[in-house]
Amino acid sequence: MTSPAAGKPIRTAIADEDGIDFAIIELFFFAYRDFTSDPDQILADYGFGRAHHRVLHFVNRRPGLTVAELLDVLKITKQSLARVLKQLIDTDHIVQVQGPRDRRQRELYPTAKGRALALALARPQSRRIRAALEDSGATERATIERFLEAMVNPELRAQIDIVPAQTSGKNHGDH
Amino acid sequence: MTSPAAGKPIRTAIADEDGIDFAIIELFFFAYRDFTSDPDQILADYGFGRAHHRVLHFVNRRPGLTVAELLDVLKITKQSLARVLKQLIDTDHIVQVQGPRDRRQRELYPTAKGRALALALARPQSRRIRAALEDSGATERATIERFLEAMVNPELRAQIDIVPAQTSGKNHGDH
DNA sequence: GAAATTACGTCAATAGTACTGACATAATTC
DNA sequence: GAATTATGTCAGTACTATTGACGTAATTTC
C-alpha cells in the first residue's frame, strides 16, 4: 500500500494556521464549478464547449472588437482561438466585418442567432446570481462587486471597464 | 468577408435588457481567471496542472478521505482522477492507507512534501483574497462568504461543511 | 517605392483534462 | 456461495490549450 521510501501520512487537516484563508479559497472553487455547469449543459447540445461560450459572451458584450482585442481579454493564443472562432462563424453565430479604418482588422459581431445563444447561456447564470443575492440590498451587492473586481489583477482591471456605457452598472448609464 | 447566407451583424452591445446580470457574470470570470493563475505558475515547475492542485487541496483539507469521496467532491470520473492521483502518489505528495474498517477503501493522506506544496499553492491565493478584503470588516466578509456559498448548488452545499471543526471559519473553532 | 511591421489565418505537433465503456481484483455483504 | 462495492486499469475519444512556423494582405516607415 505504501512504498518503502514513501513519506509518512499526515493525519491532521491543513488549518488556517499560516493565516491562509482556506474557507474562501474553497468556496470560490465550488461557486465557480457550479456557476459554469449551467451553460455547459446548453453548450453540449450545440457541440460547443466553454471556450465557445467565452468568445460568444465577449463578442456580444463588445460588438466590433477585433481578434487581437479578443485574444487579450481571453488570455489565450491565436491558435487556440482559431478553431473556436471558425466554428462560431461557420454556424452563423458570429460574423466578421472588415475594419473601417484598418482593413487588416476583422471586427467581430454577433448575429441574431449568436445574440440569442449568448442570452440563453447567460440566463441560468443570472438566475443563479439573483437567487444568491435574494435577500441582499444594494450595499451587499456593491460589496460583492468590489470584492470580485479586487480579485482581478490590477493591470488587467482596465478590461472590466471596457463595457458600453449603456450597459455599465457603475457609471449609471443612460437608461 | 461575410458569406452570402450569413446573418447581419448586430452592432449594439448586449444589455442588462432582460434583467441579466452581465456585470457580475463577467466579474466572476475575470476574478476566477486570475485567482487560478497564481498557483498555475507554481504547478508548471512540477509538471503538474490544475487537476493536481485540486486533488492536493482536498486531500490536505480532509485527510483520510477515500477515492470515492474525492470523486464526489471534484465531480469527475474515476478514470480522470487515476492519472493525476497516480502522479501525486509516485512523486510522494500523497500516500494511500488501507481503510481500517473496510480494507477495500484507500484513505488518502498528504505527506510532509504534499502538505508543503499545498501550502505553497494556497499562499498566493490567500494573499490575493486578503488584498481584496483589505478594507473590509467582518460584515463584508460574511456577505461575500454567504454569496459564494449561495452560488453553490443547494444539494452540493453539504460538501462545503465537511471541513474539520478546528478549520471551519463558521463555528469559530478552538483556537 | 521598397522594406519592415502588423493583423490575421493556418498547418503541424504536443499536452492536460476530461469523457465513455469495459474489464479485473479484492473485500464486504447478503 | 453469490452479489455488490471500492478501487484500479486499459482503450479510445474529445475539448481546450500550448509552441513554432509559415503565408497573405494591409499599413507604416524610411
Side-chain angles (χ1 to χ4, degrees), chain B residues 66-68 78-79 96 104 106:
Chain B
T66 64
V67 171
K78 189 174 42 165
Q79 296 85 337
Q96 289 180 317
R104 288 171 306 178
R106 305 281 186 269

Side-chain angles (χ1 to χ4, degrees), chain A residues 33-45:
Chain A
R33 181 193 66 179
D34 291 350
F35 176 68
T36 52
S37 70
D38 297 325
D40 280 357
Q41 297 206 314
I42 300 171
L43 288 159
D45 299 337

Side-chain angles (χ1 to χ4, degrees), chain B residues 11-74:
Chain B
R11 290 172 181 275
T12 57
I14 204 166
D16 296 354
E17 318 153 350
D18 304 273
I20 291 183
D21 201 332
F22 285 107
I24 290 189
I25 288 177
E26 215 165 286
L27 277 172
F28 216 48
F29 165 71
F30 284 122
Y32 198 76
R33 182 193 64 179
D34 291 349
F35 176 68
T36 52
S37 70
D38 297 325
D40 280 356
Q41 299 206 313
I42 299 170
L43 289 159
D45 299 337
Y46 292 76
F48 290 161
R50 217 171 273 182
H52 299 84
H53 184 188
R54 291 198 286 263
V55 169
L56 200 53
H57 171 88
F58 285 108
V59 169
N60 272 281
R61 277 288 268 183
R62 301 140 158 79
L65 51 35
T66 64
V67 171
E69 286 165 349
L70 186 54
L71 290 175
D72 192 49
V73 170
L74 297 178

Side-chain angles (χ1 to χ4, degrees), chain B:
Chain B
M1 186 103 298
T2 53
S3 66
K8 283 184 214 145
I10 295 180
R11 290 172 181 275
T12 57
I14 204 166
D16 296 354
E17 318 153 350
D18 304 273
I20 291 183
D21 201 332
F22 285 107
I24 290 189
I25 288 177
E26 215 165 286
L27 277 172
F28 216 48
F29 165 71
F30 284 122
Y32 198 76
R33 182 193 64 179
D34 291 349
F35 176 68
T36 52
S37 70
D38 297 325
D40 280 356
Q41 299 206 313
I42 299 170
L43 289 159
D45 299 337
Y46 292 76
F48 290 161
R50 217 171 273 182
H52 299 84
H53 184 188
R54 291 198 286 263
V55 169
L56 200 53
H57 171 88
F58 285 108
V59 169
N60 272 281
R61 277 288 268 183
R62 301 140 158 79
L65 51 35
T66 64
V67 171
E69 286 165 349
L70 186 54
L71 290 175
D72 192 49
V73 170
L74 297 178
K75 290 270 168 292
I76 57 171
T77 59
K78 189 174 42 165
Q79 296 85 337
S80 296
L81 175 63
R83 177 189 52 94
V84 170
L85 184 56
K86 193 175 184 329
Q87 287 176 352
L88 286 168
I89 290 170
D90 289 348
T91 54
D92 195 33
H93 288 94
I94 290 178
V95 284
Q96 289 180 317
V97 175
Q98 204 168 51
R101 283 171 296 279
D102 187 334
R103 288 186 305 170
R104 288 171 306 178
Q105 294 184 331
R106 305 281 186 269
E107 294 185 341
L108 303 173
Y109 293 93
T111 62
K113 193 177 170 189
R115 171 62 54 99
L117 181 53
L119 275 170
L121 293 169
R123 211 165 283 131
Q125 294 192 306
S126 188
R127 204 180 299 134
R128 184 183 288 269
I129 291 167
R130 196 179 318 124
L133 291 174
E134 209 180 6
D135 305 314
S136 304
T139 316
E140 278 100 341
R141 197 199 152 85
T143 298
I144 290 155
E145 283 192 358
R146 243 198 324 268
F147 168 74
L148 290 175
E149 189 165 341
M151 288 288 284
V152 180
N153 284 345
E155 68 272 21
L156 304 171
R157 217 164 284 161
Q159 294 180 337
I160 298 171
D161 301 320
I162 308 173
V163 283
Q166 76 271 23
T167 314
S168 168
K170 241 190 243 158
N171 35 354
H172 301 92
D174 37 53
H175 65 283

